[in-house]
Amino acid sequence: MTALCPVCAGPLRADEENLLCEHCRRRFQARAICPDCGQPLDVLKACGAVDYFCPRGDGLISKKRVDWRCVAL
C-alpha cells in the first residue's frame, strides 16, 4: 500500500514513527479509524500481536477492516 499526501497527493515515506511527504515537507501520523463509527481506534499491543479496539461500542475490529487516515502533525 502506498500512502499519498492529503495536501499535495505526493507519495509518503515512513520516517521513524511518522510519515513524511518529500514534496511539500509535511509530516503526518497514520491513525487507525473504526470502519463502523469513523472514530479513532485504540491500538492494543501484547505478545507481538496488534489488535484494534473501538471504545465506542463496536468492540474488537479486525485489522483487515481498519481504515487508515493521515493526520497532520
Side-chain angles (χ1 to χ4, degrees), residues 31-41 54 56 58 61 67 69:
R31 291 239 174 105
I33 304 296
C34 179
D36 298 327
C37 69
Q39 297 298 312
L41 295 171
C54 180
R56 283 154 293 289
D58 294 320
I61 305 294
D67 290 333
R69 293 194 191 141

Side-chain angles (χ1 to χ4, degrees), residues 3-30 70-73:
L4 298 177
C5 176
V7 176
C8 70
L12 296 174
R13 71 171 178 84
D15 179 27
E16 298 172 12
E17 295 180 5
N18 302 312
L19 300 171
L20 173 68
C21 177
E22 293 181 352
H23 183 262
C24 68
R25 294 289 193 210
R26 295 183 187 204
R27 289 188 182 278
F28 299 91
Q29 181 180 39
C70 292
V71 178
L73 294 177

Side-chain angles (χ1 to χ4, degrees), residues 44-66:
L44 309 171
K45 296 180 183 179
C47 302
V50 178
D51 294 311
Y52 301 94
F53 180 79
C54 180
R56 283 154 293 289
D58 294 320
L60 282 175
I61 305 294
S62 167
K63 66 181 175 182
K64 293 178 183 178
R65 293 187 58 224
V66 171

